[in-house]
Amino acid sequence: VSSDYVKLASVSATSGTSVSIDGYFDDTIYAMYKIIAYNYESDANEWWKFQYNTGGSAYSSSNYRWAGDYARRTSGSNSHNIDGGYNVNYLPMSWWGSNTSDQPMITEITFTQPQSTSQTKPSFVCTTSNDDGNIVRFDVGGNFDSQTAATGITMYPNSGNIARFNATLY
């Protein structure tokens, strides 16, 4: 069996305020990376964000831009909305809303050449969740508008602590 995907790292947590996957990027070998985060929630049932790491720490200055599109299906209706952020200090992983232990989320973050010092860092995020019994899909195009080499990704809830979190970097 062969695969174009190589598992580089995985992380799990049941406490804390953030989770980082750092030190696994090697743009001389890989041009594209994926993080699959699954079965995650915060104790405040909040939405999630991420930041690129530079030098091993989360880059928290306002160098992020994103545009997102969400669709929600309830038992009686559909809804749709768009949102975005310009020169903010994060990229979103999930849409605003709650998730509880019986309603897990799954997110795929795709990004390319994070170690480049000649270009910014685009990313694509796709999340599916079951928000209070309603199905939600959230798609985001984002950019870390910096030519600083990234060493990893830090993921965290908007508020509260991590109740559970699992992610794999490919």
Side-chain angles (χ1 to χ4, degrees):
V1 175
S2 67
S3 173
D4 291 333
Y5 285 89
V6 175
K7 180 180 176 181
L8 300 175
S10 61
V11 64
S12 296
T14 56
S15 64
T17 57
S18 67
V19 175
S20 183
I21 298 177
D22 197 79
Y24 295 96
F25 297 157
D26 187 344
D27 289 1
T28 64
I29 298 173
Y30 308 108
M32 184 175 292
Y33 298 84
K34 287 187 181 287
I35 290 180
I36 308 293
Y38 58 95
N39 197 22
Y40 65 95
E41 71 171 310
S42 73
D43 61 6
N45 296 324
E46 277 281 356
W47 59 292
W48 285 64
K49 304 173 180 181
F50 73 96
Q51 296 170 324
Y52 282 88
N53 293 356
T54 59
S57 299
Y59 188 95
S60 59
S61 292
S62 298
N63 283 63
Y64 298 93
R65 299 174 182 156
W66 63 275
D69 181 3
Y70 93 88
R72 178 186 306 243
R73 175 65 191 178
T74 68
S75 62
S77 67
N78 294 305
S79 60
H80 177 268
N81 199 1
I82 57 173
D83 202 351
Y86 194 87
N87 289 343
V88 295
N89 65 354
Y90 67 92
L91 293 170
M93 279 180 62
S94 64
W95 186 251
W96 291 247
S98 63
N99 283 87
T100 57
S101 61
D102 65 337
Q103 301 173 345
M105 292 188 283
I106 184 168
T107 298
E108 181 178 309
I109 304 170
T110 304
F111 51 99
T112 185
Q113 298 179 316
Q115 293 182 314
S116 175
T117 57
S118 64
Q119 66 183 23
T120 62
K121 317 296 182 278
S123 61
F124 177 74
V125 178
C126 182
T127 299
T128 298
S129 62
N130 184 357
D131 179 15
D132 292 329
N134 306 309
I135 192 70
V136 177
R137 189 209 75 236
F138 183 48
D139 298 318
V140 175
N143 194 52
F144 174 38
D145 193 29
S146 174
Q147 294 179 345
T148 303
T151 60
I153 300 282
T154 296
M155 298 156 280
Y156 57 96
N158 183 53
S159 66
N161 295 303
I162 296 168
R164 63 187 168 147
F165 185 86
N166 299 284
T168 304
L169 171 66
Y170 296 96

